Amino acid sequence: MWPLLITSFTLCLAPSYQQFPRLCATREALRTKECCPPWDGDGSACGASSGRGFCQDVQVPDFPDGPQYPFSGLDDRERWPLVFYNRTCQCAGNFMGFNCADCKFGYFGVNCNERRESLRRNIFHLSRAERLRFISYLNLAKHTVSADYVVATGTYREMENGSTPLFANISVYDVFVWMHYYVSRNALLGGPGNVWTDVDFAHWAPAFLPWHRVYLLHWEHEIRKLTGDMSFIIPYWDWRDASGCDVCTDELMGGRSPLSPNLLSPGSVFSSWRVLCSQAEEYNEQGVLCDAREEGPLLRNPGNHNRNIVERLPTSAEVEFALSLPNYDTGAMDRSANMSFRNTMEGFGDPQTGLGNSPRMGMHAALHVFMNGSMSSVQGSANDPIFLLHHAFVDSIYEQWLRRHRPSLSQYPQSNAPVGHNSEYHMVPFLPLHRNREYFISSKDLGYEYSYLLDAGEFPQNGNVLLIAVKFTEHFNVTL
């Protein structure tokens, strides 16, 4: 069994820097619609006295959305974050964060002027000590309550327009579980069972790849904050041509339990993990949001999935076909998109023909379905830590496509994409705010690289890199 390293820190409080900062989850902040907390360094809102940032009005453009979501003003995520806040910190220079206390991705140091490039590596290329440290960091994050972050358990309307805040404490790891649930949940139209299912602010459309890129970058940032290990980097799992889940061992992400094929081995630290926000149908029936309570054990039964939906894990040839497609997105820019790199990569374009609305799922979606458990429903998929390894590899393929085709920013759609996916839309539910188009750029511009994409002799040099050799560094709706 994995030793539970660093457990002495369990349930300590650690900073977090995404949506609903604790200081902005108050009645006053919600009623004034202002989220501009002070920076501890000088006590001024957004660190304005030190020139780190300023409290400014949020600008949301009025470019039209696609026809998939025919409503307006019904969902809190529309025109994010205006339902909750219309003034937030706008950070200057290399500063970032909901109060401009942090550095932009790829920058470090007190003044955020140290540029470093980190290297994401294959999990099988890590030393035993590095793997152990990675598992221990995951477990620490799962059992550490976030000091600065809470999650919404009710809609703005249920909060009586901010008069009655409805938020819950949550662990650093589960912050990200909840975020993935919240961005992909169905729209609540009012009353039990009254939901709109054809909506997702991070999937089924152009923002799929940029949104998950930001998600992983913030996840790395939070682990660095939590552990003090500034060299931490998420490893990836290269699943091309794999015959099974080769990371599903007790030494890595957890083997199969001898007691039940759906549970994890008691020899894995993950066997004790409890999931949340995994019961989408129940929330829809009640017309409510996930309340962030524990809902049961982490489930996984890889390979015993419905083979009418997914035949096998993706092949190298299928990845190469997706990479060959020159257009990032096409047509309606949804699951019907033909010859679209994004739609093929996401798994709804056939990985051999490129035709959309494929009856079988491929690529990214295939891996989720193959896992046949918590990973296999889009809203609850981030409960399984394999999610991180998987999406790191998906992001690496996105990076390959960007380097091969060198698209201009204009190739990312400015209008008529499904709601939440136009280029200038702020990503739900992040604070600090990020626009979709800002992550339609190379990972090298964001301070990280993938080991298998490096050419011979291209390894980063000295002061410009986090030491590589030290610490490492849906959509699916499948019935299980």
Side-chain angles (χ1 to χ4, degrees), residues 115-119 444 449 454-468:
R115 177 72 172 171
R116 306 180 197 170
E117 186 173 283
S118 306
L119 189 69
K444 297 176 76 66
E449 172 65 283
L454 288 171
D455 294 328
E458 193 185 334
F459 284 91
Q461 300 296 316
N462 297 330
N464 296 323
V465 63
L466 286 172
L467 293 180
I468 297 168

Short mmCIF file of all heavy atoms in Angstrom, two decimals, residues 115-119 444 449 454-468:
data_model
loop_
_atom_site.label_atom_id
_atom_site.label_comp_id
_atom_site.label_asym_id
_atom_site.label_seq_id
_atom_site.Cartn_x
_atom_site.Cartn_y
_atom_site.Cartn_z
N ARG A 115 11.17 34.27 -15.87
CA ARG A 115 10.56 33.42 -16.89
C ARG A 115 11.17 32.02 -16.84
O ARG A 115 12.40 31.88 -16.93
CB ARG A 115 10.78 34.03 -18.27
CG ARG A 115 10.26 33.20 -19.43
CD ARG A 115 8.76 33.21 -19.51
NE ARG A 115 8.29 32.57 -20.73
CZ ARG A 115 7.02 32.28 -20.98
NH1 ARG A 115 6.10 32.59 -20.09
NH2 ARG A 115 6.66 31.71 -22.10
N ARG A 116 10.36 30.99 -16.65
CA ARG A 116 10.87 29.62 -16.60
C ARG A 116 9.98 28.72 -17.45
O ARG A 116 8.77 28.95 -17.56
CB ARG A 116 10.88 29.08 -15.17
CG ARG A 116 11.62 29.93 -14.17
CD ARG A 116 11.56 29.31 -12.79
NE ARG A 116 11.90 30.26 -11.74
CZ ARG A 116 11.73 30.02 -10.45
NH1 ARG A 116 11.21 28.86 -10.05
NH2 ARG A 116 12.07 30.92 -9.55
N GLU A 117 10.59 27.69 -18.02
CA GLU A 117 9.82 26.72 -18.80
C GLU A 117 9.83 25.38 -18.08
O GLU A 117 10.89 24.85 -17.74
CB GLU A 117 10.40 26.57 -20.20
CG GLU A 117 9.56 25.68 -21.10
CD GLU A 117 10.05 25.68 -22.53
OE1 GLU A 117 9.79 26.67 -23.25
OE2 GLU A 117 10.71 24.69 -22.93
N SER A 118 8.66 24.83 -17.84
CA SER A 118 8.51 23.55 -17.15
C SER A 118 8.31 22.44 -18.17
O SER A 118 7.90 22.70 -19.32
CB SER A 118 7.32 23.60 -16.20
OG SER A 118 7.41 24.69 -15.31
N LEU A 119 8.59 21.21 -17.78
CA LEU A 119 8.51 20.08 -18.70
C LEU A 119 7.55 19.02 -18.16
O LEU A 119 7.79 18.44 -17.11
CB LEU A 119 9.89 19.46 -18.90
CG LEU A 119 10.00 18.40 -19.99
CD1 LEU A 119 9.84 19.04 -21.37
CD2 LEU A 119 11.33 17.67 -19.90
N LYS A 444 4.48 26.81 -25.14
CA LYS A 444 5.76 27.47 -24.86
C LYS A 444 5.54 28.92 -24.46
O LYS A 444 6.32 29.49 -23.68
CB LYS A 444 6.69 27.37 -26.06
CG LYS A 444 7.06 25.93 -26.41
CD LYS A 444 7.90 25.84 -27.67
CE LYS A 444 9.33 26.24 -27.45
NZ LYS A 444 10.06 25.30 -26.56
N GLU A 449 6.35 22.72 -21.66
CA GLU A 449 6.69 21.92 -22.83
C GLU A 449 6.40 20.46 -22.51
O GLU A 449 6.23 20.09 -21.34
CB GLU A 449 8.17 22.13 -23.15
CG GLU A 449 8.77 21.26 -24.22
CD GLU A 449 8.19 21.51 -25.59
OE1 GLU A 449 7.06 21.01 -25.81
OE2 GLU A 449 8.83 22.16 -26.43
N LEU A 454 10.02 17.44 -27.67
CA LEU A 454 11.32 18.09 -27.80
C LEU A 454 12.17 17.40 -28.87
O LEU A 454 12.30 16.18 -28.88
CB LEU A 454 12.07 18.04 -26.47
CG LEU A 454 11.55 18.96 -25.36
CD1 LEU A 454 12.24 18.64 -24.06
CD2 LEU A 454 11.75 20.41 -25.74
N ASP A 455 12.73 18.18 -29.74
CA ASP A 455 13.69 17.64 -30.71
C ASP A 455 15.03 17.42 -30.01
O ASP A 455 15.29 17.97 -28.96
CB ASP A 455 13.89 18.61 -31.87
CG ASP A 455 12.63 18.77 -32.70
OD1 ASP A 455 11.86 17.79 -32.80
OD2 ASP A 455 12.43 19.88 -33.22
N ALA A 456 15.86 16.61 -30.61
CA ALA A 456 17.19 16.37 -30.04
C ALA A 456 17.93 17.69 -29.89
O ALA A 456 17.97 18.50 -30.81
CB ALA A 456 17.97 15.42 -30.94
N GLY A 457 18.48 17.90 -28.70
CA GLY A 457 19.23 19.11 -28.45
C GLY A 457 18.40 20.32 -28.11
O GLY A 457 18.92 21.41 -27.97
N GLU A 458 17.07 20.15 -27.99
CA GLU A 458 16.20 21.30 -27.75
C GLU A 458 15.85 21.46 -26.28
O GLU A 458 15.00 22.26 -25.92
CB GLU A 458 14.91 21.15 -28.57
CG GLU A 458 14.08 22.42 -28.65
CD GLU A 458 12.76 22.21 -29.35
OE1 GLU A 458 12.68 21.28 -30.17
OE2 GLU A 458 11.81 22.96 -29.06
N PHE A 459 16.48 20.69 -25.41
CA PHE A 459 16.15 20.77 -24.00
C PHE A 459 16.39 22.18 -23.49
O PHE A 459 17.38 22.82 -23.83
CB PHE A 459 16.96 19.77 -23.19
CG PHE A 459 16.46 18.37 -23.35
CD1 PHE A 459 16.97 17.54 -24.33
CD2 PHE A 459 15.44 17.90 -22.54
CE1 PHE A 459 16.49 16.25 -24.50
CE2 PHE A 459 14.97 16.60 -22.70
CZ PHE A 459 15.49 15.79 -23.67
N PRO A 460 15.48 22.69 -22.62
CA PRO A 460 15.63 24.04 -22.10
C PRO A 460 16.95 24.20 -21.35
O PRO A 460 17.50 23.25 -20.81
CB PRO A 460 14.43 24.17 -21.15
CG PRO A 460 13.44 23.16 -21.64
CD PRO A 460 14.27 22.03 -22.16
N GLN A 461 17.42 25.40 -21.31
CA GLN A 461 18.73 25.67 -20.73
C GLN A 461 18.62 26.38 -19.39
O GLN A 461 17.76 27.24 -19.18
CB GLN A 461 19.55 26.55 -21.70
CG GLN A 461 19.78 25.89 -23.05
CD GLN A 461 20.61 24.64 -22.94
OE1 GLN A 461 21.61 24.62 -22.23
NE2 GLN A 461 20.21 23.59 -23.63
N ASN A 462 19.49 26.05 -18.50
CA ASN A 462 19.76 26.68 -17.22
C ASN A 462 18.64 27.51 -16.62
O ASN A 462 17.58 27.02 -16.30
CB ASN A 462 21.02 27.54 -17.34
CG ASN A 462 22.23 26.69 -17.66
OD1 ASN A 462 22.28 25.54 -17.26
ND2 ASN A 462 23.18 27.24 -18.37
N GLY A 463 18.85 28.83 -16.50
CA GLY A 463 17.95 29.68 -15.75
C GLY A 463 16.58 29.83 -16.36
O GLY A 463 15.70 30.41 -15.74
N ASN A 464 16.36 29.37 -17.56
CA ASN A 464 15.07 29.54 -18.21
C ASN A 464 14.16 28.34 -18.01
O ASN A 464 13.14 28.22 -18.68
CB ASN A 464 15.26 29.78 -19.71
CG ASN A 464 15.98 31.07 -19.97
OD1 ASN A 464 15.76 32.05 -19.27
ND2 ASN A 464 16.86 31.08 -20.97
N VAL A 465 14.53 27.44 -17.12
CA VAL A 465 13.74 26.22 -16.98
C VAL A 465 13.66 25.80 -15.53
O VAL A 465 14.58 26.02 -14.76
CB VAL A 465 14.35 25.07 -17.81
CG1 VAL A 465 15.72 24.72 -17.31
CG2 VAL A 465 13.47 23.84 -17.78
N LEU A 466 12.54 25.24 -15.15
CA LEU A 466 12.46 24.56 -13.86
C LEU A 466 13.23 23.27 -14.01
O LEU A 466 13.03 22.54 -14.97
CB LEU A 466 11.00 24.25 -13.52
CG LEU A 466 10.15 25.44 -13.10
CD1 LEU A 466 8.70 24.99 -12.99
CD2 LEU A 466 10.61 25.99 -11.78
N LEU A 467 14.12 22.96 -13.11
CA LEU A 467 14.99 21.82 -13.29
C LEU A 467 14.21 20.56 -13.58
O LEU A 467 13.44 20.08 -12.76
CB LEU A 467 15.85 21.64 -12.03
CG LEU A 467 16.85 22.79 -11.81
CD1 LEU A 467 17.65 22.54 -10.56
CD2 LEU A 467 17.76 22.95 -13.02
N ILE A 468 14.41 20.04 -14.77
CA ILE A 468 13.61 18.92 -15.27
C ILE A 468 13.90 17.65 -14.49
O ILE A 468 13.01 16.85 -14.24
CB ILE A 468 13.92 18.72 -16.77
CG1 ILE A 468 13.49 19.96 -17.54
CG2 ILE A 468 13.22 17.49 -17.30
CD1 ILE A 468 14.02 19.97 -18.95
#
